[in-house]
Amino acid sequence: MSEYQPPLEDIDFALNQVTDLASVAKLEGFQHADPDTVRDILAEAGRFFSEVIAPLNRVGDRQGSRLTEDGVVVTPDGFKDAYHKFVESGWGAAHIPEEYGGGGLPYTVGIVLQEMFKTANMAFSLCPMLTQAAIEALIRHGDDTQRGLYLEKLVTGEWTGTMCLTEPHAGSDVGALSTRAERQPDGTYRLFGQKIFITWGDHDLTDNVIHLVLARTPGSAPGTKGISMFLVPKVLVEADGSLGRRNDLRVVSLEHKLGIHASPTCVISFGDAGEGAVGYLIGEEQRGMRYMFTMMNTARIGVGIEGLAMGERAYQLALGYARERRQGRPVGGDPTVQSPIIEHPDVRRMLLTMRSYNEAMRRLLYVVARHVDFERRAETAEERERHGKVVALLTPVTKAWCTDLGVELSSIGIQVHGGMGYVEETGAAQHYRDARIAPIYEGTNGIQAIDLVLRKLPLDEGRVVHGFIAEMRSVAEPLATVDSKAAARLTEALDALAASTDWLLGRLAGGSYNDALAGATPYLTQFGTVTGGWLMARSLLAAHRMLEAGEGDARFLRSKISSASFYLDQLLPRANGLVPAVTAGAEPLMSLPAGDF
Amino acid sequence: MGPAGNLQGIRQALAMGADKAVVIDDPSLRGSDALLTARVLAEAIRREGFDLVIAGTESTDGYSGVVPQMVAELLDVPALTYATKLEVSGEEATIHRQTDLGYDEVRASLPVVVSVTAGVVEPRYPTFKGIMEAKKKPVETLTLSELGVEPKVEQVVVGVEPAPERTAGEIVEDDGTAHLKIVAKLEELKVI
């Protein structure tokens, strides 16, 4: 049996009973994504990721990708073959629009495919994920020649893509980057400079790698405003599409990382040989940052999936262990026999915490993805804009809340294993190590919190956030009819969230930005926890409705009610405890002189 | 052959690349024996026309392992069985037939029935495109009368008995002649 079993039942329930996939299938161009077809697709995709991709997770961690003396990046055993099977399967292109050679599935389904790949093998999944970002950049901002030469091969996965942003002195502050691009008489550019943290920057899976590089043209404006985006292929592509000579760029080294060892994190030098790396301008000069922002939402949601992925993987491993491992005797049990540790209340608490948070994250991700589909395809411009604003609001929450939980839950996963969890051979430690990158990259979670408070709360003078809170409130009333205690807890949590929101908006309106920044991170956690509560309430209501109607598998539905109740009764109240930290202001953080720390 | 209500396996085969499926769904096929199964399959295959019929070696419920050979006989074509490898070149099919010691290379002219052994070939995974296209592929459902086969079951189950329980092993105490007793025992069992 594979180490990863896609939780198809919960996926199906979350898609159809909580997210309303059927409404997505009514959008223009998504008619083929009816729930039955989607069920078939996900069952087959799940089998593929479970049988072909998941078994490489451990070997990927142990061997890692490595740089040979000839400057070639070699991936772990089995990755090349599995990647070719992945390309053949078409799962990578399933949610790319049909006009570009993809399968034209909605993002609401695409996100499940991403979830399964990431849960099966997070380090491996980053390769198609970065390719996806390059595809989006080309679709939105490339010209016809660029699309003609590169798009098809990226969509099929025959070539992969990267994003080259970070430099040693330009991390969270991308505007500080110094890689330069010099325009040539023929309209192409020559790039010089060094980029770091280039995920899957080179490898032996494909013949070519297409880099999207942020660089500065001579005389450009300082900061983020002066940045341009260039397409820089590893191997130059002739006008007829054939591969030409190697471009002037090379991998200088790979980082030695805490986790995701199979993913080669490259330092790439452009223009080392002196002639400069040939680059092609994407769109117009000095608009590169703007182009980056258009891809940021889906990229950040994509990283948010990794929180769920590591939480789910850690849960499956811990659950298997808790059922087998015998230690101690439960109260009132047979004193002569050691019981499986799943019989102990504290172990159950750990497992239920993992299980409930995982379900909440899954529902949040799918609901956000549905908003993305409506933002792209809803009938009226007004509707598209409305959904777009919800996506904008929820993106930083999804990214940061889920990835923080990925670390927390994979840590609990180790705890369930006891001492064996700290030993690498059980595999629990890998998930914890892999999960740890997700709160950092694609905008640290601190940056996400700042984005939420400074940029997203003020949208439409606070009407977007308050509209969303009002939408969450609407579930309290029906919830009260089946579980009055849970409904009261949800209302209490929503009141506290509304109060925190108003406090922050008031500080922003009064120009006290440092107060708002000081509360940003606990506020994001509060926001995510309450949003999770709203979605688990919907899950509970759907399960109740189906049980009463005699639909579905009763045992499964009761398990949904169990995890939703646990969340609403025991996890949701954590949010209220954050209010003092959100509303304390900057003074307690800033009053201690830096030298006195 | 089976109830048309559950087409999961059929859909998967279509998604893997088959162009068309024919389902023979008839209540009188319940409890079918190997010969009736072979007659039904042979008739359905004859109706479609064929060059090459590929079958598994045996089903995982009946385990008779004779249906492919029966189908070949009923179609009056050669049967190449227990194939671990199959090559078709022009009008000729060549297989490696698994044996106790290795394999025999066996050839026959088309049309032919080939039965393949389990676990030798890794089936391809259905692709995304394959799954979507499978939705549009024809699945024809036929009854026995439409096929013109009479549901005659000739196999009779005489009795069902549980396998004998395992008996305790024989212990040979070594009084210096144990090796002789063991050799005698092995000779009795005809293993040496």
Side-chain angles (χ1 to χ4, degrees):
Chain A
M1 199 170 83
S2 170
E3 304 161 38
Y4 165 53
Q5 299 299 315
L8 292 173
E9 239 183 336
D10 189 58
I11 288 171
D12 192 82
F13 183 83
L15 276 179
N16 290 297
Q17 306 304 329
V18 183
T19 311
D20 192 8
L21 176 64
S23 69
V24 177
K26 288 199 185 94
L27 294 173
E28 182 60 34
F30 290 153
Q31 279 72 24
H32 57 308
D34 60 278
D36 279 342
T37 305
V38 169
R39 204 166 288 132
D40 282 356
I41 286 171
L42 294 179
E44 281 301 341
R47 202 163 66 84
F48 177 84
F49 289 118
S50 165
E51 291 175 9
V52 180
I53 303 293
L56 298 174
N57 196 44
R58 198 74 74 89
V59 69
D61 182 57
R62 271 204 311 267
Q63 288 185 356
S65 284
R66 60 188 204 282
L67 183 65
T68 67
E69 279 176 16
D70 314 329
V72 177
V73 177
V74 179
T75 53
D77 293 347
F79 272 54
K80 200 168 176 173
D81 180 48
Y83 184 78
H84 286 291
K85 283 184 179 151
F86 171 71
V87 167
E88 215 170 89
S89 76
W91 294 122
H95 64 289
I96 292 164
E98 275 165 313
E99 60 260 46
Y100 302 111
L105 284 181
Y107 185 49
T108 313
V109 181
I111 201 169
V112 187
L113 298 174
Q114 282 185 312
E115 175 197 330
M116 295 200 285
F117 200 150
K118 285 181 179 299
T119 318
N121 194 325
M122 175 171 155
F124 202 166
S125 78
L126 298 174
C127 183
M129 184 188 182
L130 268 296
T131 305
Q132 173 68 34
I135 290 168
E136 257 187 71
L138 276 177
I139 287 178
R140 288 174 185 228
H141 309 294
D143 61 30
D144 285 346
T145 313
Q146 291 163 348
R147 280 202 286 259
L149 277 181
Y150 303 98
L151 199 51
E152 189 194 320
K153 291 243 161 73
L154 288 169
V155 168
T156 58
E158 282 167 86
W159 296 344
T160 66
T162 78
M163 286 288 173
C164 305
L165 280 64
T166 306
E167 295 176 11
H169 298 289
S172 290
D173 183 4
V174 185
L177 66 81
S178 65
T179 294
R180 66 180 208 279
E182 294 170 0
R183 194 180 160 89
Q184 305 298 302
D186 65 356
T188 65
Y189 290 74
R190 294 292 180 276
L191 276 76
F192 301 89
Q194 195 173 81
K195 293 285 180 182
I196 62 168
F197 295 165
I198 310 309
T199 301
W200 283 93
D202 196 27
H203 54 77
D204 55 359
L205 305 179
T206 58
D207 297 337
N208 208 355
V209 180
I210 310 302
H211 304 284
L212 291 184
V213 185
L214 292 188
R216 216 171 262 299
T217 48
S220 61
T224 53
K225 288 195 171 68
I227 293 173
S228 306
M229 184 189 281
F230 298 90
L231 184 155
V232 184
K234 170 181 164 183
V235 182
L236 293 172
V237 180
E238 305 291 341
D240 65 357
S242 63
L243 291 181
R245 66 183 171 87
R246 275 291 299 257
N247 206 350
D248 180 8
L249 62 93
R250 68 187 185 91
V251 176
V252 180
S253 61
L254 299 189
E255 305 295 351
H256 300 278
K257 307 188 296 294
L258 178 66
I260 54 167
H261 292 156
S263 167
T265 304
C266 304
V267 176
I268 299 185
S269 216
F270 295 89
D272 252 9
E275 55 167 322
V278 178
Y280 309 95
L281 180 68
I282 300 278
E284 292 169 36
E285 277 190 16
Q286 307 202 54
R287 295 178 71 88
M289 231 18 229
R290 206 175 292 219
Y291 302 154
M292 281 306 306
F293 270 108
T294 60
M295 290 175 289
M296 215 164 260
N297 279 344
T298 43
R300 289 184 166 176
I301 296 165
V303 172
I305 302 168
E306 290 166 9
L308 166 62
M310 291 303 94
E312 175 69 35
R313 190 73 191 255
Y315 172 66
Q316 291 193 13
L317 191 66
L319 178 62
Y321 187 79
R323 280 182 172 145
E324 276 174 18
R325 171 74 171 165
R326 288 176 173 272
Q327 280 294 280
R329 290 145 190 91
V331 176
D334 181 347
T336 63
V337 189
Q338 292 200 318
S339 69
I341 60 171
I342 195 171
E343 297 302 336
H344 301 300
D346 186 61
V347 174
R348 291 201 158 221
R349 170 175 300 288
M350 291 193 273
L351 292 172
L352 264 168
T353 300
M354 297 172 92
R355 177 185 168 89
S356 303
Y357 270 135
N358 283 335
E359 287 183 19
M361 283 192 274
R362 181 169 293 119
R363 282 145 185 74
L364 173 60
L365 286 158
Y366 295 0
V367 164
V368 174
R370 177 180 176 274
H371 281 296
V372 171
D373 282 325
F374 275 78
E375 179 191 12
R376 290 174 184 168
R377 299 281 177 100
E379 218 169 303
T380 65
E382 214 180 343
E383 257 188 292
R384 289 196 293 274
E385 199 192 332
R386 186 171 64 77
H387 287 285
K389 282 175 179 164
V390 180
V391 172
L393 176 71
L394 293 182
T395 296
V397 179
T398 305
K399 193 274 174 179
W401 187 63
C402 292
T403 55
D404 279 345
L405 279 176
V407 176
E408 185 183 334
L409 302 189
S410 54
S411 172
I412 296 177
I414 292 178
Q415 193 70 19
V416 172
H417 286 78
M420 284 313 290
Y422 201 65
V423 174
E424 288 285 354
E425 69 190 58
T426 56
Q430 186 194 344
H431 304 321
Y432 185 50
R433 290 187 287 98
D434 285 351
R436 194 59 191 84
I437 183 59
I440 300 170
Y441 59 21
E442 199 51 49
T444 64
N445 284 2
I447 297 272
Q448 304 300 324
I450 294 172
D451 177 46
L452 173 66
V453 171
L454 255 52
R455 289 208 194 92
K456 305 303 169 58
L457 291 193
L459 284 175
D460 293 352
E461 286 80 43
R463 284 196 301 278
V464 174
V465 62
H466 276 301
F468 182 68
I469 293 173
E471 189 190 339
M472 292 199 281
R473 271 189 201 284
S474 67
V475 82
E477 202 177 310
L479 182 63
T481 63
V482 298
D483 187 341
S484 57
K485 190 177 68 172
R489 288 200 200 283
L490 184 62
T491 302
E492 189 190 351
L494 284 163
D495 289 343
L497 181 64
S500 289
T501 305
D502 284 335
W503 189 88
L504 289 169
L505 282 168
R507 291 289 138 162
L508 293 177
S512 309
Y513 291 104
N514 251 5
D515 282 347
L517 287 173
T521 288
Y523 177 70
L524 186 145
T525 308
Q526 187 187 2
F527 199 117
T529 308
V530 177
T531 308
W534 164 59
L535 292 164
M536 292 303 265
R538 283 169 56 175
S539 194
L540 186 147
L541 282 170
H544 257 286
R545 188 192 57 71
M546 290 175 75
L547 270 176
E548 286 200 352
E551 294 167 21
D553 172 5
R555 187 171 152 193
F556 168 77
L557 293 171
R558 278 196 293 272
S559 80
K560 293 300 102 172
I561 291 174
S562 151
S563 41
S565 299
F566 182 79
Y567 190 101
L568 290 164
D569 291 341
Q570 304 202 32
L571 300 177
L572 176 62
R574 290 180 175 190
N576 306 340
L578 293 165
V579 174
V582 175
T583 56
E587 200 272 337
L589 303 183
M590 308 308 279
S591 58
L592 186 68
D596 293 352
F597 268 77
Chain B
M1 247 175 85
N6 184 1
L7 295 179
Q8 196 62 38
I10 298 276
R11 272 213 297 271
Q12 197 172 31
L14 292 171
M16 284 174 171
D19 294 317
K20 178 186 173 183
V22 179
V23 182
I24 297 122
D25 180 10
D26 199 297
S28 58
L29 283 174
R30 211 168 289 163
S32 161
D33 64 2
L35 187 54
L36 176 57
T37 302
R39 278 164 49 220
V40 170
L41 294 179
E43 207 44 57
I45 291 162
R46 201 194 316 272
R47 201 169 164 275
E48 289 296 314
F50 68 100
D51 301 310
L52 178 64
V53 177
I54 302 181
T57 294
E58 58 195 350
S59 64
T60 51
D61 49 3
Y63 283 113
S64 76
V66 293
V67 172
Q69 296 84 323
M70 288 176 166
V71 169
E73 185 61 25
L74 290 164
L75 292 171
D76 199 20
V77 298
L80 300 178
T81 53
Y82 301 101
T84 57
K85 186 181 170 192
L86 165 66
E87 259 176 41
V88 178
S89 160
E91 290 299 302
E92 194 173 62
T94 308
I95 67 154
H96 287 179
R97 169 153 58 203
Q98 194 178 315
T99 68
D100 289 343
L101 299 172
Y103 65 86
D104 297 333
E105 196 174 292
V106 189
R107 269 178 233 149
S109 299
L110 300 181
V112 63
V113 173
V114 176
S115 76
V116 297
T117 55
V120 175
V121 181
E122 194 188 333
R124 71 175 79 141
Y125 284 88
T127 65
F128 170 67
K129 277 208 170 77
I131 295 168
M132 297 308 279
E133 280 165 9
K135 305 239 147 220
K136 298 172 204 141
K137 289 177 177 175
V139 178
E140 190 182 0
T141 307
L142 297 174
T143 60
L144 273 199
S145 62
E146 285 171 301
L147 209 56
V149 175
E150 209 183 312
K152 209 167 58 181
V153 176
E154 285 161 292
Q155 177 181 308
V156 181
V157 178
V158 189
V160 178
E161 279 173 46
E165 286 200 25
R166 283 183 61 168
T167 50
E170 189 180 329
I171 296 169
V172 179
E173 298 233 2
D174 191 6
D175 55 2
T177 62
H179 60 288
L180 297 174
K181 286 181 190 160
I182 290 172
V183 167
K185 184 74 187 167
L186 292 175
E187 274 173 347
E188 185 192 320
L189 291 170
K190 296 198 169 103
V191 287
I192 54 172

